[in-house]
Amino acid sequence: MKKLINDPDDVVEEMLDGMVQTYPDRLRRLEDTQVVVRADGTPDGKVGIATGGGSGHEPTHAGYIGDGMLDGAAAGDVFSSPTADEFEALLDACDAGEGVLAVIKNYEGDVMNFETAIDLVEMEGVDVETVVVDDDVAVEDSLYTSGRRGVCGTILVHKAVGAKAAEGASLAEVQRVGQKVVDNVGTMGVALTSCVTPEKGEPTFDLGEDEIELGIGIHGEPGVENADMMAADDITDELTEAVLDDLDVEAGQEVLTIVNGMGGTPQMELFVVNRRLQELLGDRGIETYDAWVGDYMTSLDMEGCSITVCVVDDELTELFDAPADTPALSVQ
Amino acid sequence: MKKLINDPDDVVEEMLDGMVQTYPDRLRRLEDTQVVVRADGTPDGKVGIATGGGSGHEPTHAGYIGDGMLDGAAAGDVFSSPTADEFEALLDACDAGEGVLAVIKNYEGDVMNFETAIDLVEMEGVDVETVVVDDDVAVEDSLYTSGRRGVCGTILVHKAVGAKAAEGASLAEVQRVGQKVVDNVGTMGVALTSCVTPEKGEPTFDLGEDEIELGIGIHGEPGVENADMMAADDITDELTEAVLDDLDVEAGQEVLTIVNGMGGTPQMELFVVNRRLQELLGDRGIETYDAWVGDYMTSLDMEGCSITVCVVDDELTELFDAPADTPALSVQ
């Protein structure tokens, strides 16, 4: 498997350097760490928003740093949690005196290392609250989690808490809206191909030429069902129905949807999926307030997509519509 | 080869529907055509900016419709020019009385069909000027062109002419800045894998497990050199040096760079390439005014990238920095 990399051991380092060189006015790397923060730091008087996790999900995480979203993000090695030290440096850097909200995807390594770091910075007097995202409706427990996995719904948490913090809200208020998104969002994904990690250089799981894997995670974890290849509309129906059933969405409710590419999927195909998704929601009497299509949380070069649905109310739509200016997401 | 599609014959239709459903406030499809225009039409008093070409290059073309860039785009079938009728409908729709600039990538079908359409609308009194983009430094002539191919540099033409038109400039002035970009931009690409068209369902060209193709176009056309797989830094050097030599860039000059993903390339790898690109420019004493990294002009699911360099002056940097608000590109 060919990749545009040099030594696999250097790929995260080189990626982070390349990213900061792409956005030198926006992003800054903390020396001797894999932590990226806003070039101008967390604005005074604002609650800091911090997140992080394994690399290989770009533009997650550092791509969402900027006005209206994140103040900093720690990058682990590919598909590995950042260390507690990295998370500590991140939390310290993101605090501008009003405390920090840590957005944590529900993986055991991330949760454990973030919690260790939180204990450490709290001893130094930094207030930290957390939101743990577990939007993947496919599995109850997985290879890397107790409870459900955190996947693409995390981007909506970033957007909501970032907008709330930008309003000057308190740490408790920022935490509340983050948890509100978590309580109202669900995601399910499909893989047409396995991802290939730089280190291993070959597919993480086997998938036949006529097979797909439903309910995949974002690390090449096995899904819940190995199925025969289907038409895009049928795949969309499977994913959407699983999410709608889990969330118990009813006719008349309003939702924001995301069709998220897994990294190797052409945009053409994502729009084909969105067409069917919107048709299906219309048939069920569910109203789409906004539809996002793109690569938001990827799994290296995996082909496939995930569908995220978030039930919204006036408070959430206001936060999702608020201005944001980050490398990967811009709302004007 | 698996794709998230239904019937290959419907893929462009379904993609366009899915795209308009994603951005209903921004995009509108002209009935019974594959033409997409701004939902609110070309603003009064502004020169219209129109483009188009084969599908399979998303977010090119309709992804760049919006404030500060395009007013409309015609989509052909996958890797096929739109018909003259489609281009005619596009030009008519984009004219708000001040004339239309047509941005044409230098492919024989696109040039011929656009010219036929221009003849037709000019008879109805619509003023049209053209800019033909031919930024690919790899080949002098190709399967589909007399002269060089138009590739990712086209996005910079869209940006510059869109910004100039938004200022209220005349059609001649808008055309002038478009041509100025064309005169100062070069691109070269590499494929790690061939793309697979929905219709054919298998790779367009053969590439061994340890081979890459240098100088590829955006339609799976053969490149100029089949080479052994190399490290990302070596590939970056090959592409960058070809472009710099062609443009005759000298120390002290300022450039805008693009590392463009071909559709199947993880963002991680694009940042690794950008890191080396910036290092190389620094070594040569060339100053980067701005660096773009992302999927701007793709070739379905092809893995690989292209590197674009545009020599800039104060006029061009002002146009590139001007606000834009489109689905695929946002400058705040």
Side-chain angles (χ1 to χ4, degrees):
Chain A
M1 290 293 186
K2 291 169 280 189
K3 288 180 179 296
L4 290 166
I5 63 171
N6 297 297
D7 187 331
D9 288 343
D10 299 333
V11 68
V12 173
E13 281 292 319
E14 294 185 352
M15 171 188 72
L16 291 173
D17 284 346
M19 190 183 284
V20 170
Q21 284 165 355
T22 308
Y23 310 105
D25 300 337
R26 297 164 174 248
L27 304 182
R28 184 167 62 84
R29 188 164 164 189
L30 295 185
E31 223 170 308
D32 300 325
T33 72
Q34 295 185 172
V35 175
V36 178
V37 297
R38 289 162 72 118
D40 52 358
T42 304
D44 281 343
K46 192 184 84 70
V47 168
I49 310 290
T51 193
S55 293
H57 308 299
E58 292 67 31
T60 295
H61 305 78
Y64 299 103
I65 293 175
D67 284 340
M69 290 188 82
L70 305 176
D71 296 290
D77 291 337
V78 173
F79 296 168
S80 300
S81 173
T83 63
D85 285 351
E86 300 267 347
F87 278 131
E88 186 188 1
L90 168 75
L91 292 167
D92 268 333
C94 289
D95 183 40
E98 303 297 323
V100 181
L101 181 78
V103 180
I104 312 175
K105 291 195 300 310
N106 188 36
Y107 297 97
E108 283 170 6
D110 291 0
V111 171
M112 189 179 69
N113 290 338
F114 235 136
E115 281 180 352
T116 303
I118 290 167
D119 288 345
L120 293 168
V121 301
E122 283 185 337
M123 287 191 294
E124 302 157 18
V126 178
D127 287 336
V128 182
E129 293 288 341
T130 62
V131 173
V132 178
V133 189
D134 61 350
D135 56 314
D136 190 338
V137 306
V139 289
E140 253 323 303
D141 297 293
S142 80
L143 267 185
Y144 305 110
T145 61
S146 315
R148 308 196 323 185
R149 302 174 291 210
V151 288
C152 188
T154 309
I155 309 308
L156 296 177
V157 177
H158 296 340
K159 181 71 188 71
V161 300
K164 194 72 186 172
E167 287 175 10
S170 69
L171 180 55
E173 271 292 284
V174 172
Q175 197 275 343
R176 182 185 62 76
V177 299
Q179 189 58 49
K180 183 169 175 175
V181 175
V182 172
D183 294 340
N184 286 285
V185 70
T187 298
M188 184 150 154
V190 64
L192 307 193
T193 64
S194 167
C195 56
V196 175
T197 61
E199 198 176 6
K200 196 169 171 208
E202 52 190 65
T204 306
F205 59 92
D206 291 323
L207 208 47
E209 195 36 60
D210 292 313
E211 289 174 344
I212 59 175
E213 185 82 13
L214 290 162
I216 44 98
I218 54 173
H219 306 96
E221 306 98 311
V224 287
E225 190 192 344
N226 189 282
D228 289 340
M229 182 60 191
M230 293 181 252
D233 283 3
D234 295 326
I235 291 173
T236 306
D237 290 359
E238 290 264 353
L239 300 181
T240 308
E241 278 161 15
V243 177
L244 293 179
D245 289 352
D246 183 87
L247 288 173
D248 234 345
V249 189
E250 288 171 8
Q253 286 189 298
E254 243 191 336
V255 298
L256 183 154
T257 60
I258 305 179
V259 176
N260 171 58
M262 300 307 295
T265 317
Q267 219 179 74
M268 168 181 273
E269 300 178 27
L270 302 180
F271 285 122
V272 169
V273 169
N274 187 51
R275 176 197 133 275
R276 175 60 192 159
L277 169 59
Q278 300 310 323
E279 195 171 59
L280 191 60
L281 293 173
D283 288 348
R284 288 201 177 204
I286 297 162
E287 200 175 323
T288 299
Y289 134 76
D290 202 4
W292 296 9
V293 174
D295 281 9
Y296 295 97
M297 182 173 295
T298 62
S299 184
L300 295 169
D301 55 348
M302 185 185 279
E303 288 178 53
C305 73
S306 62
I307 288 178
T308 297
V309 176
C310 182
V311 179
V312 297
D313 61 6
D314 288 350
E315 180 178 41
L316 289 183
T317 58
E318 204 173 296
L319 295 167
F320 293 144
D321 281 344
D325 189 10
T326 77
L329 185 73
S330 169
V331 180
Q332 300 198 21
Chain B
M1 291 293 186
K2 290 168 280 187
K3 289 181 179 294
L4 289 166
I5 61 171
N6 298 298
D7 186 331
D9 287 342
D10 298 333
V11 69
V12 172
E13 281 291 318
E14 293 185 353
M15 170 189 74
L16 291 173
D17 284 345
M19 188 183 283
V20 170
Q21 283 164 357
T22 308
Y23 310 105
D25 299 337
R26 298 163 173 249
L27 304 181
R28 184 167 61 85
R29 189 164 164 191
L30 295 187
E31 223 171 309
D32 299 326
T33 72
Q34 294 184 170
V35 175
V36 177
V37 297
R38 290 163 72 120
D40 51 0
T42 303
D44 281 342
K46 192 183 85 68
V47 167
I49 310 291
T51 193
S55 293
H57 309 300
E58 293 69 32
T60 295
H61 305 79
Y64 299 104
I65 293 175
D67 283 341
M69 290 189 81
L70 306 176
D71 297 290
D77 291 337
V78 173
F79 296 169
S80 300
S81 172
T83 62
D85 284 350
E86 301 267 347
F87 279 131
E88 186 187 1
L90 168 75
L91 292 167
D92 268 331
C94 289
D95 182 40
E98 303 297 323
V100 182
L101 181 78
V103 180
I104 311 176
K105 293 196 301 308
N106 188 36
Y107 297 98
E108 284 171 6
D110 290 1
V111 172
M112 188 179 69
N113 291 338
F114 236 136
E115 281 180 354
T116 303
I118 291 167
D119 288 345
L120 292 170
V121 299
E122 283 184 337
M123 286 191 291
E124 301 157 18
V126 177
D127 287 337
V128 183
E129 293 288 340
T130 63
V131 174
V132 178
V133 189
D134 61 349
D135 56 314
D136 189 339
V137 307
V139 288
E140 253 324 302
D141 296 291
S142 79
L143 267 186
Y144 306 110
T145 61
S146 314
R148 307 194 328 182
R149 301 174 292 210
V151 288
C152 188
T154 309
I155 309 307
L156 296 177
V157 178
H158 295 339
K159 181 72 188 72
V161 300
K164 193 72 186 172
E167 287 175 10
S170 69
L171 180 55
E173 271 293 284
V174 172
Q175 197 276 344
R176 181 185 63 75
V177 299
Q179 188 58 48
K180 184 170 175 176
V181 175
V182 172
D183 294 341
N184 286 284
V185 70
T187 298
M188 183 148 154
V190 64
L192 307 192
T193 63
S194 167
C195 56
V196 174
T197 60
E199 198 176 5
K200 196 169 171 207
E202 52 190 63
T204 307
F205 59 92
D206 290 325
L207 209 49
E209 196 35 61
D210 293 314
E211 290 174 343
I212 59 174
E213 185 83 12
L214 290 163
I216 44 98
I218 53 173
H219 306 96
E221 306 97 310
V224 288
E225 190 192 344
N226 189 281
D228 289 341
M229 183 59 193
M230 295 182 248
D233 284 3
D234 296 326
I235 291 174
T236 306
D237 291 359
E238 290 263 354
L239 300 181
T240 308
E241 279 161 14
V243 176
L244 293 179
D245 290 352
D246 183 87
L247 288 174
D248 234 346
V249 189
E250 289 172 8
Q253 286 189 297
E254 242 190 338
V255 297
L256 182 154
T257 60
I258 305 178
V259 176
N260 171 58
M262 299 308 295
T265 317
Q267 219 179 74
M268 166 181 274
E269 300 178 27
L270 302 179
F271 285 122
V272 169
V273 169
N274 187 52
R275 177 196 132 278
R276 175 59 191 159
L277 168 61
Q278 300 310 322
E279 194 170 62
L280 191 61
L281 294 173
D283 289 349
R284 288 201 178 202
I286 298 162
E287 200 176 322
T288 300
Y289 134 76
D290 201 4
W292 296 10
V293 174
D295 282 9
Y296 294 97
M297 184 174 292
T298 62
S299 185
L300 294 170
D301 54 349
M302 185 183 278
E303 288 178 53
C305 73
S306 64
I307 289 179
T308 297
V309 176
C310 182
V311 179
V312 297
D313 61 7
D314 288 349
E315 181 179 40
L316 289 183
T317 58
E318 203 172 296
L319 294 169
F320 293 144
D321 281 344
D325 189 8
T326 77
L329 186 72
S330 169
V331 180
Q332 298 198 22

